[in-house]
Amino acid sequence: MSTPASSYKVLVIDDSNTIRRSAEIFLKQGGHEVLLAEDGFDALAKVNDYAPQLIFCDILMPRLDGYQTCAIIKRNPKFAQVPVVMLSSKDGVFDKARGRMVGAQDYLTKPFTKDQLLQAVQQFGAVLQGAT
């Protein structure tokens, strides 16, 4: 199995334990460091403490939804450049547009495959490489 050219610190925010575990397994198989958060408040603390290089964020979560979480992350100049990919079982045009409005770079529909997840990391990894 080949190792990726670059390894990234990736935060997965989802209130579903199943989704978090699946994403963690897929990302670790891809050679990435994985942080997990179960809601927006948990995520904001982890973003601040660990400074992930890429964030996957569920939309429908209790207390603080994905749109609010993404907007708060993007308002902080320290983390404004961190790519955020929204995760949702809803894939309507409105949902995708709303994600873009709060600063999300992309949108992945659940359930996602290992390939889709790792492809998103590669896509934004290239952007991150250019930024450093």
Side-chain angles (χ1 to χ4, degrees), residues 23-101:
E24 180 181 31
I25 291 165
F26 294 160
L27 291 165
K28 283 188 172 177
Q29 286 174 345
H32 304 288
E33 185 181 338
V34 184
L35 303 163
L36 301 173
E38 58 189 53
D39 65 35
F41 288 110
D42 186 21
L44 294 174
K46 289 192 170 146
V47 166
N48 200 44
D49 292 347
Y50 301 104
Q53 296 164 289
L54 175 63
I55 299 169
F56 288 98
C57 184
D58 184 25
I59 291 175
L60 299 173
M61 296 185 291
R63 303 196 309 157
L64 196 64
D65 75 20
Y67 296 125
Q68 295 165 317
T69 303
C70 181
I72 292 167
I73 291 167
K74 291 297 185 175
R75 270 192 296 239
N76 183 331
K78 189 174 170 188
F79 304 112
Q81 299 307 311
V82 176
V84 177
V85 177
M86 302 307 280
L87 297 174
S88 181
S89 49
K90 295 161 55 172
D91 68 347
V93 174
F94 175 76
D95 300 303
K96 292 180 181 180
R98 188 164 173 210
R100 294 241 188 258
M101 285 169 52

